[in-house]
Amino acid sequence: MADNLSQPFSKSAMTEEEKVQFQREKKQQVVAFVLMIFLTLLAFLAVAADFLPVMFVIPFILLLALVQFVLQMFYFMHLKDNDHGWANAFIWSGVFIAIPTIAALMLLLGITKY
Amino acid sequence: MSTTTKSKSVLWDWLTTVDHKKIGVMYLIAGTLFFVKAGVMALFMRIQLMYPEMNFLSGQTFNEFITMHGTIMLFLAATPLLFAFMNFIVPLQIGARDVAFPFVNALGFWIFFFGGFLLSLSWFFGGGPDAGWTAYVPLSSRDYAGLGLDFYVLGLQVSGIGTLVSAINFLVTIVNMRAPGMTMMRLPLFVWTTFISSTLILFAFTPLAAGLALLMLDRLFEAQYFITDMGGNVVLWQHIFWIFGHPEVYILVLPAFGIISEVIPAFSRKRLFGYTAMVFATMLIAFLGFMVWAHHMFTVGMGPIANSIFAIATMTIAVPTGIKVFNWLFTMWGGKITFNTAMLFASSFVPTFVLGGVTGVMLAMAPVDHLYHDTYFVVAHFHYIIVGGIVLALFAGVFYWYPKMFGHKLNEGLGKLFFWVFFIGFHLTFFVQHLLGLMGMPRRVYTFLGDQGLDTFNFISTIGTFFMSAAIIILVINVIYSAFKGERVGADPWDARTLEWATAHPLPEYNFAQTPQVRSLDPLFYEKIHGDGKMKPAEPLQDIHMPNGSILPFIMSVGLFISGFGFIMFNMENPILPPIVVAVGGLAITFICMIVRSVKEDHGYHIPVEEIKAKEVN
């Protein structure tokens, strides 16, 4: 018995349906990854380009950051999956704690300069 | 066969172990060593403060001791001692064979250990850190603090990683490894508090790591996050530190609550009163613990609105804490109480902790805090919480779980002597510090002038410290005496309630021969009343798959240690090697180990049924 478990399996234990699902997920992740690189490039260009006004660049890159955050959470941290209840609970309680904490910290320090 | 894996020496066995029980014992030993070290520093500081204008320690040494005492007690003594019990007891209490990631568990221990070692090395390189355990920034910047602070920053960063990975491990273990029937609302309170405390570590140690990284960049690479001349902000450090620092109090005290919630029902012979309320009170304390950090900073000048909000939020914590205190009292009420050493510690914990809580509410009042701030009143308050809360609970846990961990009881007579000497010494030391604080004695001073009304209470306080030191010596004698003459007991010496007492004796490495079927809260006690006193198995007796030991966690931690030392070398006068080589070299060791771990397949080994049967007969 002990030796059997050390052997690699000859074929995948996944069903055909699971394989299709797996391929779809893989495609989604690659697309999300490419999109995130594109968004990062966009943010970099927005800062690097001198002609854009600062008051436009800051909200713009914050928006890009938000999109990246959502992509990251849903496609790489599996927030969209149904069987990740505990992971979801932790991510949301983290968000729930982080937002008031960061808001309070910014208010207390006083945002006088960017 | 399992026998082939055990041919190595004892030392090699402990260095490579991934068994949660052995790692628990290692945490216990390492934590105790750091506890004694920091305790001796406290003793020296109290001797210095015994009489006015003493010259026992110099001011600089006093500052180094006061910093290292706080840092070691919180990060390297209290946390690992609680981790010792979490490691040893939590998998047993949920009916698991091990934690979810045994390799990561070993890694967590060794990283913590080498982080602490790195911090302690500061004594050999020009003295310890001297800016207080909070390392407030102008004091801890490169202009005012020497090499010791670099050891503080890097040592804590390294040991913080260890704490973080261990906490994540506990979270996954408690979510995924529970025995059949062990629903979340049937978890013993110690498991619940471990779970919530690990969540707090997950959310609170990340800001600490970020803050320490910023301070490191400031100190080593001339960044300017906290340098006001360059547009930095010193108050930012205080905020980041306390966003970690306040939850840290609950990281430590919640598992202490958990231990008390195990010991009191066991020796009152009643189930815990208000289990559900206890669980939700724990969650509420944890949540509120995050929202109140600025009460450490009332005197910073945040303005009346911020002060009021944080004052009220802080006082709110008294409500769930009160729920817990009353539930412990109601558990004891009408119970058939046995006052052995563990129960003495647990029952004395309740009033002592309440005293600390009351002064906590006093300090939470922002206007009055301007009077208390940086006086001995604050010192008295947090020592009532940390010694009167966490340390008393730890001693209760030691006496309660000692038979499960080492197979024999600690001597009860010596134990009770230890309790009374410690308890009296503790109150002698810290109660009078409230009065010293109200009289206006500032904290963190290395001496005081005579004839200002401070002499008597300082003297009494120091005498109390001698009592506590004597008590610890009695405990050491007790441990040694009991190892030879202690009462040898079976698997369930207390006639207890929870699953850890259902394992065989001596405790086998696989914990449970068959995973137990849990039918109620306090599963073992349920079986004692409704069944035959033994847990029903949830699976047939079969071969048990166990993980192999590995030396990699040790080497990885050594790598991080070398790397941390390399970063410190950036600020050394004449480093023997180029610092960057040492720093990168250490990281390379760690990464190579990670690659080896990823590539090399390790399927573990199996314990055959015959061997399990032979062990279970005992």
Side-chain angles (χ1 to χ4, degrees):
Chain A
M1 171 151 184
D3 293 326
N4 292 343
L5 277 173
S6 310
Q7 299 294 324
F9 292 105
S10 56
K11 72 182 183 56
S12 170
M14 290 195 293
T15 63
E16 286 304 315
E17 200 182 334
E18 279 171 330
K19 275 184 192 166
V20 173
Q21 180 71 28
F22 185 75
Q23 285 303 328
R24 194 188 304 146
E25 176 136 354
K26 204 159 115 185
K27 202 191 284 172
Q28 281 173 348
Q29 289 201 341
V30 171
V31 171
F33 184 61
V34 171
L35 196 59
M36 284 168 83
I37 291 177
F38 174 70
L39 289 175
T40 310
L41 270 178
L42 215 58
F44 177 75
L45 285 175
V47 176
D50 289 332
F51 56 85
L52 286 172
V54 175
M55 287 317 292
F56 168 77
V57 171
I58 289 168
F60 180 63
I61 58 175
L62 283 177
L63 186 73
L64 291 182
L66 192 71
V67 176
Q68 288 235 21
F69 175 75
V70 172
L71 284 177
Q72 174 82 23
M73 283 294 157
F74 277 78
Y75 287 97
F76 292 101
M77 306 292 278
H78 298 277
L79 207 61
K80 62 181 169 43
D81 295 2
N82 290 326
D83 57 343
H84 282 248
W86 275 104
N88 281 6
F90 271 94
I91 289 169
W92 285 118
S93 42
V95 171
F96 196 54
I97 287 168
I99 287 176
T101 308
I102 292 170
L105 180 58
M106 291 176 82
L107 283 171
L108 289 170
L109 284 174
I111 304 301
T112 51
K113 57 178 186 287
Y114 286 108
Chain B
M1 283 292 286
S2 61
T3 43
T4 51
T5 58
K6 280 183 186 163
S7 56
K8 303 279 170 44
S9 75
V10 178
L11 180 67
W12 182 256
D13 188 39
W14 283 84
L15 287 181
T16 60
T17 187
V18 292
D19 181 358
H20 73 99
K21 296 179 285 296
K22 282 184 178 165
I23 292 169
V25 172
M26 289 199 290
Y27 267 118
L28 193 66
I29 295 168
T32 308
L33 290 176
F34 281 118
F35 179 79
V36 169
K37 182 182 169 192
V40 169
M41 287 178 196
L43 182 64
F44 282 12
M45 288 189 292
R46 269 324 310 174
I47 293 173
Q48 161 67 19
L49 290 167
M50 197 170 182
Y51 297 107
E53 299 184 77
M54 278 273 277
N55 282 316
F56 183 69
L57 298 177
S58 73
Q60 175 62 27
T61 316
F62 188 90
N63 287 348
E64 287 166 12
F65 274 18
I66 213 162
T67 304
M68 286 295 268
H69 169 73
T71 311
I72 292 177
M73 277 298 189
L74 284 167
F75 291 102
L76 306 175
T79 314
L81 286 173
L82 289 166
F83 270 20
F85 290 126
M86 293 179 185
N87 254 306
F88 203 101
I89 300 299
V90 165
L92 296 174
Q93 281 193 333
I94 62 174
R97 294 243 158 78
D98 206 327
V99 290
F101 308 115
F103 180 90
V104 176
N105 200 16
L107 185 63
F109 170 76
W110 287 113
I111 292 181
F112 140 73
F113 182 78
F114 280 105
F117 186 47
L118 184 61
L119 185 59
S120 303
L121 272 189
S122 59
W123 297 111
F124 302 101
F125 293 88
D130 51 3
W133 86 282
T134 52
Y136 275 180
V137 162
L139 215 52
S140 64
S141 64
R142 342 168 14 114
D143 294 342
Y144 300 103
L147 207 53
L149 234 295
D150 295 312
F151 280 97
Y152 171 93
V153 171
L154 270 305
L156 286 193
Q157 267 184 331
V158 172
S159 75
I161 299 170
T163 310
L164 204 48
V165 295
S166 303
I168 293 169
N169 205 350
F170 289 132
L171 288 174
V172 181
T173 306
I174 296 168
V175 168
N176 287 333
M177 307 274 285
R178 284 170 285 132
M182 177 69 87
T183 59
M184 286 308 274
M185 290 315 280
R186 282 180 187 170
L187 290 182
L189 241 284
F190 183 61
V191 180
W192 255 118
T193 49
T194 301
F195 184 69
I196 291 171
S197 164
S198 303
T199 316
L200 285 180
I201 290 177
L202 183 64
F203 293 148
F205 268 64
T206 25
L208 175 73
L212 287 172
L214 296 183
L215 189 58
M216 180 184 82
L217 292 173
D218 262 19
R219 288 187 57 87
L220 299 179
F221 304 114
E222 294 174 22
Q224 291 120 19
Y225 293 101
F226 306 120
I227 313 288
T228 35
D229 296 351
M230 307 290 186
N233 191 335
V234 285
V235 181
L236 176 64
W237 167 263
Q238 297 193 21
H239 280 296
I240 294 177
F241 187 84
W242 287 116
I243 285 171
F244 144 77
H246 196 77
E248 166 75 4
V249 178
Y250 298 100
I251 290 169
L252 298 175
V253 89
L254 288 180
F257 286 172
I259 295 173
I260 299 301
S261 305
E262 296 297 304
V263 174
I264 286 184
F267 297 118
S268 301
R269 311 215 56 73
K270 276 176 72 189
R271 65 183 285 182
L272 185 71
F273 185 90
Y275 174 86
T276 319
M278 287 298 242
V279 171
F280 284 102
T282 313
M283 288 182 191
L284 206 56
I285 293 173
F287 175 72
L288 291 172
F290 266 100
M291 301 302 164
V292 300
W293 78 89
H295 69 223
H296 294 263
M297 301 163 62
F298 282 150
T299 54
V300 160
M302 299 179 299
I305 294 175
N307 279 5
S308 317
I309 292 171
F310 281 99
I312 292 166
T314 306
M315 288 181 221
T316 317
I317 300 182
V319 178
T321 315
I323 293 174
K324 294 185 88 80
V325 167
F326 280 109
N327 281 343
W328 288 320
L329 295 179
F330 289 141
T331 308
M332 284 190 272
W333 190 336
K336 189 166 166 286
I337 304 178
T338 321
F339 277 110
N340 54 18
T341 314
M343 187 60 179
L344 277 176
F345 274 112
S347 50
S348 65
F349 163 95
V350 179
T352 313
F353 187 81
V354 168
L355 266 170
V358 167
T359 50
V361 177
M362 290 168 77
L363 288 166
M365 290 184 272
V368 199
D369 185 70
H370 281 74
L371 302 176
Y372 298 138
H373 189 79
D374 265 348
T375 67
Y376 260 77
F377 191 83
V378 180
V379 178
H381 158 67
F382 70 70
H383 280 93
Y384 262 79
I385 296 294
I386 290 173
V387 186
I390 296 152
V391 175
L392 288 185
L394 278 170
F395 288 142
V398 167
F399 277 84
Y400 179 57
W401 280 313
Y402 208 83
K404 182 78 346 192
M405 293 173 91
F406 300 104
H408 58 84
K409 281 186 186 175
L410 286 170
N411 183 283
E412 276 297 319
L414 281 171
K416 281 178 181 160
L417 180 68
F418 162 58
F419 166 77
W420 285 111
V421 175
F422 187 86
F423 192 67
I424 292 168
F426 161 73
H427 282 283
L428 267 187
T429 308
F430 295 111
F431 190 79
V432 294
Q433 292 189 358
H434 291 114
L435 307 171
L436 280 174
L438 294 176
M439 288 164 148
M441 180 165 164
R443 63 192 277 212
R444 297 184 175 127
V445 288
Y446 81 101
T447 191
F448 58 97
L449 291 174
D451 295 326
Q452 294 185 318
L454 304 175
D455 309 20
T456 318
F457 287 143
N458 267 307
F459 185 77
I460 294 174
S461 186
T462 305
I463 296 298
T465 326
F466 292 144
F467 272 69
M468 284 200 279
S469 310
I472 298 297
I473 293 169
I474 297 172
L475 177 64
V476 173
I477 293 170
N478 195 345
V479 166
I480 296 167
Y481 174 82
S482 305
F484 296 106
K485 293 274 176 69
E487 185 190 341
R488 263 55 187 170
V489 289
D492 184 16
W494 310 118
D495 192 14
R497 317 174 72 82
T498 39
L499 264 183
E500 75 266 34
W501 306 103
T503 50
H505 182 82
L507 197 51
E509 67 264 44
Y510 47 79
N511 298 350
F512 296 91
Q514 293 160 287
T515 307
Q517 174 71 46
V518 175
R519 299 203 287 171
S520 166
L521 180 66
D522 289 345
L524 184 59
F525 209 73
Y526 183 88
E527 299 297 334
K528 281 174 187 170
I529 291 174
H530 299 280
D532 56 357
K534 289 199 176 78
M535 295 306 298
K536 306 259 179 300
E539 59 174 16
L541 194 60
Q542 57 197 0
D543 288 3
I544 293 174
H545 188 187
M546 297 294 288
N548 278 328
S550 168
I551 192 68
L552 285 178
F554 184 82
I555 302 175
M556 281 167 87
S557 313
V558 171
L560 276 180
F561 168 78
I562 294 171
S563 172
F565 193 78
F567 280 111
I568 294 166
M569 286 166 79
F570 277 100
N571 271 355
M572 280 185 189
E573 292 285 316
N574 295 308
I576 309 151
L577 286 167
I580 191 76
V581 174
V582 183
V584 174
L587 282 180
I589 294 173
T590 305
F591 278 115
I592 289 168
C593 288
M594 287 163 86
I595 292 167
V596 171
R597 170 71 181 167
S598 312
V599 174
K600 196 170 147 256
E601 285 195 48
D602 185 353
H603 294 286
Y605 64 97
H606 278 79
I607 303 174
V609 175
E610 303 82 62
E611 199 176 312
I612 299 167
K613 278 184 181 157
K615 272 191 184 170
E616 293 296 313
V617 170
N618 295 329

